[in-house]
Amino acid sequence: MAETRRLDGKTFLVTGGAGFIGSNFIRYLLQSYPDCKIINLDKLTYAGNLENLEDIAGNPRYTFVQGDIRDGEVVSSLYEKSDIVVHFAAETHVDRSILEGGEFVLTDVHGTYILLETMRNHSIELFIHISTDEVYGSRKTGAFKEEDALNPSSPYSASKAGADRLVYAYWVTYGLPVIILRPTNNYGPYQYPEKFIPLFISNALEDKTLPLYGKGDNRRDWLFVEDHCRAIDCVLNKGNMGEVYNVGAQNEISNIVIANKIVELLGKPESLIKHVPDRLGHDFRYSVDCRKIHSLGWKPAMDFEEALRLTVTWYSEKKSWWKKIKDKSRDFKSFYEKYYRDRK
Ligand code: NAD
Ligand code: DAU
């Protein structure tokens, strides 16, 4: 097993830190490493939200920079002040990539390229790339190992696969110090309410229908966001350079079962669940073999039922957070109008 790195006193550059996982991770880092500093580089796209970090905005160890990962000058100036990079920034919603994939290629592939290329002229100690389990594609049974071939099938996952392999190429070609994580579906506080779990919880709270794609038998492996943060921490400490680590929770559940659990937890009628036309090219199931990261000492800590209850409670208590997005963001409404109009 690799030795534990010294992380206290380091400056972390987090990209996409105003999004769901990035904001949870910044909070986690500040709590876990009392001497670390954090720079958050985020463009504040529709998915970036500074309210996700309101409680730590005044922390002297935290700095926010609004900017684009594709801006080499900004990236270079921030690399000057940073030791470690954790790269979350991306376009992330599969349905949006089906409507229009261009921004996914530009951000996820080209943005990652700019971060890597700029790194060649700086002495960054470690670059953690947050990829996704979707890069392997779907499989009916069994689980993907890190060395398996990639077979992505949406414009989102294909862009993420491009980024993933670019990161690897910069390790092989230039010896840049990189590690790649391939996590499964995250859920928890501060997830943008276009994604399955927060959309269904918030719709149910408003007595609106829950649009279940197809038969609802597609399956995902659900990873609580705090468990994911701990996995990143584990790899920051003990991961081997140039390696890929799958991160999953072995919580494989079909969408219809989750939809039923959500209405049950909220005391809402099952009739709110409405089957709608399926997502184009809808991947049936993702599954990853996580023995490699288990051997570094990480295992998920949260039980799914308990973490889902916690998540439902969080959205029930934070109505103002998601209502502002759903009611006031023009982007949120126009996306859904266009999405369902195109599929009628
Ligand atoms: P998110 O959509 O909630 O947040 C993405 C953030 O990136 C936003 O704050 C946005 O403003 C920022 N961003 C987008 N383009 C940018 C650019 N050009 N420059 C700077 N910032 C930019 O995403 P998330 O769900 O938190 O996902 C974070 C990362 O984890 C992504 O790389 C995603 O592919 C990966 N991932 C997510 C999940 C999941 O279930 N959410 C699972 C596996 C992997
Ligand atoms: O697997 C990791 C990936 O998980 C991440 O890389 C992506 O960034 C993230 O968005 C997520 O992708 P999915 O497509 O799996 O997540 P989403 O929340 O969009 O959908 C989860 C499942 O729920 C999927 O089978 C589609 C279904 N679904 C989704 C929505 C939004 C519905 O049935 N109805 C919906 O309205």
Side-chain angles (χ1 to χ4, degrees):
M1 193 190 288
E3 281 182 22
T4 297
R5 294 184 186 92
R6 264 196 69 91
L7 299 179
D8 239 340
K10 300 287 182 193
T11 298
F12 291 82
L13 174 62
V14 174
T15 74
F20 162 47
I21 307 174
S23 60
N24 277 281
F25 182 67
I26 287 175
R27 198 171 287 104
Y28 173 93
L29 268 186
L30 285 172
Q31 279 162 10
S32 306
Y33 297 98
D35 294 329
C36 78
K37 292 196 182 112
I38 296 168
I39 303 169
N40 173 14
L41 171 63
D42 198 297
K43 188 181 167 193
L44 297 184
T45 66
Y46 79 92
N49 185 352
L50 288 181
E51 285 187 23
N52 299 2
L53 292 159
E54 232 169 29
D55 53 327
I56 57 115
N59 189 315
R61 296 192 286 129
Y62 167 76
T63 311
F64 173 68
V65 177
Q66 182 168 6
D68 195 322
I69 55 166
R70 290 171 287 187
D71 184 338
E73 273 180 35
V74 171
V75 170
S76 183
S77 71
L78 299 180
Y79 277 175
E80 283 296 317
K81 304 173 196 157
S82 309
D83 303 302
I84 295 171
V85 180
V86 185
H87 174 35
F88 295 96
E91 287 294 330
T92 63
H93 193 36
V94 173
D95 292 325
R96 286 179 190 260
S97 83
I98 292 167
L99 269 184
E100 169 56 57
E103 204 49 50
F104 288 73
V105 178
L106 293 174
T107 298
D108 302 10
V109 187
H110 187 65
T112 302
Y113 159 74
I114 297 289
L115 290 175
L116 292 165
E117 189 57 27
T118 310
M119 208 168 118
R120 291 178 62 197
N121 299 316
H122 292 270
S123 50
I124 296 294
E125 292 168 24
L126 178 58
F127 181 98
I128 302 271
H129 176 70
I130 309 300
S131 183
T132 169
D133 64 345
E134 296 199 11
V135 295
Y136 295 111
S138 178
R139 69 187 282 167
K140 285 236 160 79
T141 57
F144 289 108
K145 293 208 175 97
E146 285 84 352
E147 61 274 19
D148 284 341
L150 306 188
N151 193 19
S153 51
S154 73
Y156 163 70
S157 55
S159 302
K160 289 294 288 185
D164 180 309
R165 290 300 81 191
L166 261 181
V167 174
Y168 180 70
Y170 273 70
W171 152 254
V172 175
T173 311
Y174 306 110
L176 294 192
V178 307
I179 301 180
I180 297 164
L181 268 70
R182 294 187 183 143
T184 59
N185 284 62
N186 281 224
Y187 65 105
Y190 298 108
Q191 185 165 31
Y192 193 84
E194 69 189 350
K195 303 283 166 61
F196 177 59
I197 288 185
L199 178 73
F200 274 35
I201 297 173
S202 58
N203 275 14
L205 282 165
E206 292 184 299
D207 296 306
K208 289 186 179 157
T209 56
L210 314 186
L212 189 64
Y213 297 162
K215 292 188 194 137
D217 54 359
N218 300 65
R219 308 170 76 82
R220 299 290 184 262
D221 173 9
W222 292 97
L223 172 67
F224 191 55
V225 65
E226 267 172 44
D227 277 330
H228 183 194
C229 292
R230 290 192 310 100
I232 301 170
D233 188 12
C234 169
V235 168
L236 276 166
N237 274 284
K238 297 190 231 162
N240 291 315
M241 293 295 177
E243 296 281 331
V244 176
Y245 294 91
N246 289 336
V247 189
Q250 280 143 330
N251 271 325
E252 202 183 306
I253 309 175
S254 67
N255 297 336
I256 191 153
V257 169
I258 296 194
N260 277 311
K261 282 184 192 296
I262 289 172
V263 288
E264 193 188 314
L265 281 167
L266 288 169
K268 299 287 179 178
E270 245 183 68
S271 56
L272 279 183
I273 302 170
K274 184 169 177 266
H275 290 269
V276 297
D278 210 350
R279 173 184 279 177
L280 299 179
H282 196 175
D283 282 341
F284 179 69
R285 171 179 177 266
Y286 304 125
S287 181
V288 287
D289 180 322
C290 299
R291 276 176 287 186
K292 195 166 165 186
I293 191 166
H294 292 171
S295 75
L296 294 183
W298 175 84
K299 286 234 165 91
M302 285 301 271
D303 164 69
F304 179 73
E305 303 286 337
E306 188 192 337
L308 184 66
R309 210 172 306 120
L310 230 146
T311 304
V312 166
T313 305
W314 190 88
Y315 286 88
S316 306
E317 287 171 355
K318 281 273 193 180
K319 276 196 185 125
S320 61
W321 179 86
W322 53 261
K323 263 188 156 304
K324 206 183 265 180
I325 297 169
K326 288 177 93 168
D327 297 348
K328 301 219 172 101
S329 154
R330 269 200 302 139
D331 176 273
F332 187 88
K333 285 189 190 150
S334 63
F335 161 66
Y336 276 103
E337 274 162 23
K338 186 157 180 6
Y339 185 69
Y340 285 108
R341 190 175 60 229
D342 280 14
R343 298 173 65 245
K344 266 195 187 130

